[in-house]
Amino acid sequence: MDKKNAMRAGAVAAGTTLMMLLMSSPALALIRDDGDDPGPGLSVIDTVGLYVVAPIVLFLVIAGLVMVLDKSKKQV
């Protein structure tokens, strides 16, 4: 019974992923709309900083604040 549930969950996950990929229509992004005014692109360093370094720094800041402001009693 456990194997059957795992197969069902895998099929649902695969079907959902496939439907999301089919419905995203990336080819429509090639057609420019009226009034479309894209800005300048990001460099590699800007992209890595924005999507890799910034989330890691934000996570570390939040984790540090949680550790510093922890009000629970320490068990020694």
Side-chain angles (χ1 to χ4, degrees):
M1 189 68 174
D2 205 34
K3 188 183 249 186
K4 189 175 183 180
N5 286 339
M7 290 293 288
R8 183 178 296 146
V12 168
T16 303
T17 303
L18 181 62
M19 289 304 296
M20 294 295 281
L21 286 173
L22 290 175
M23 304 228 5
S24 64
S25 302
L28 295 177
L30 297 176
I31 301 170
R32 301 292 297 265
D33 291 332
D34 289 338
D36 193 12
D37 188 21
L42 295 175
S43 69
V44 174
I45 293 173
D46 291 339
T47 304
V48 170
L50 183 63
Y51 294 109
V52 177
V53 175
I56 291 173
V57 168
L58 186 63
F59 172 79
L60 292 175
V61 167
I62 293 171
L65 286 172
V66 168
M67 289 170 43
V68 168
L69 300 174
D70 186 19
K71 302 268 187 210
S72 65
K73 301 293 183 196
K74 304 287 187 227
Q75 296 287 337
V76 179

